[in-house]
Amino acid sequence: QVQLVESGGGLVQPGGSLRLSCAASGFTLDYKAIGWFRQAPGKEREIFSCISRHNDSTYYTDSVKGRFTISRDNAKNTVYLQMNSLKPEDTAVYYCATKLKFPSGECSSNWYDFGSWGQGTQVTVSS
């Protein structure tokens, strides 16, 4: 069964850090670009970061640039998201997904180019 599983979410104070993981089972992430998405209550799901298959290209929206870092360890079939300097507006359910649209190894800023969604992990930034 093809599955992505996100983990590492939780409650953190503003200015704090969290590290999210996106682990794949049933398939290899090696050939896919992987995106991180989030959805806050009442808002649409948005892509905010992506990493290409060869680690040679990453994408961040302005809202997270300089605070979040995406990385991947293909040997562990896992993609990571290091989140620093967290803000209350980062509160959301965080998802990872694989790029489905050709070329699947390159990043895209369109969430509908991705699929095989995980179940998500809640991140809450609050004092």
Side-chain angles (χ1 to χ4, degrees):
Q1 181 180 0
V2 173
Q3 189 176 9
L4 289 172
V5 179
E6 303 93 340
S7 62
L11 173 63
V12 63
Q13 293 186 341
S17 298
L18 284 173
R19 188 193 195 205
L20 304 185
S21 298
C22 170
S25 63
F27 71 106
T28 178
L29 294 177
D30 289 14
Y31 303 104
K32 299 286 190 180
I34 303 299
W36 277 102
F37 305 75
R38 63 187 181 184
Q39 187 166 18
K43 295 188 177 180
E44 293 187 353
R45 187 171 300 188
E46 62 165 348
I47 182 171
F48 62 87
S49 186
C50 180
I51 187 165
S52 66
R53 61 175 288 197
H54 292 304
N55 287 328
D56 56 354
S57 177
T58 56
Y59 163 81
Y60 301 96
T61 57
D62 288 343
S63 60
V64 305
K65 195 175 296 182
R67 300 188 298 123
F68 292 8
T69 303
I70 190 171
S71 62
R72 66 192 299 160
D73 185 340
N74 287 342
K76 294 183 178 180
N77 219 22
T78 301
V79 172
Y80 302 98
L81 183 73
Q82 178 66 43
M83 305 189 296
N84 299 327
S85 303
L86 283 161
K87 304 176 182 180
E89 51 263 43
D90 294 318
T91 296
V93 179
Y94 283 66
Y95 302 87
C96 60
T98 63
K99 177 89 177 299
L100 298 181
K101 185 177 180 180
F102 179 84
S104 59
E106 302 302 320
C107 282
S108 166
S109 60
N110 301 315
W111 70 265
Y112 43 85
D113 290 340
F114 294 79
S116 300
W117 299 91
Q119 83 291 344
T121 185
Q122 176 70 47
V123 172
T124 302
V125 185
S126 175
S127 55

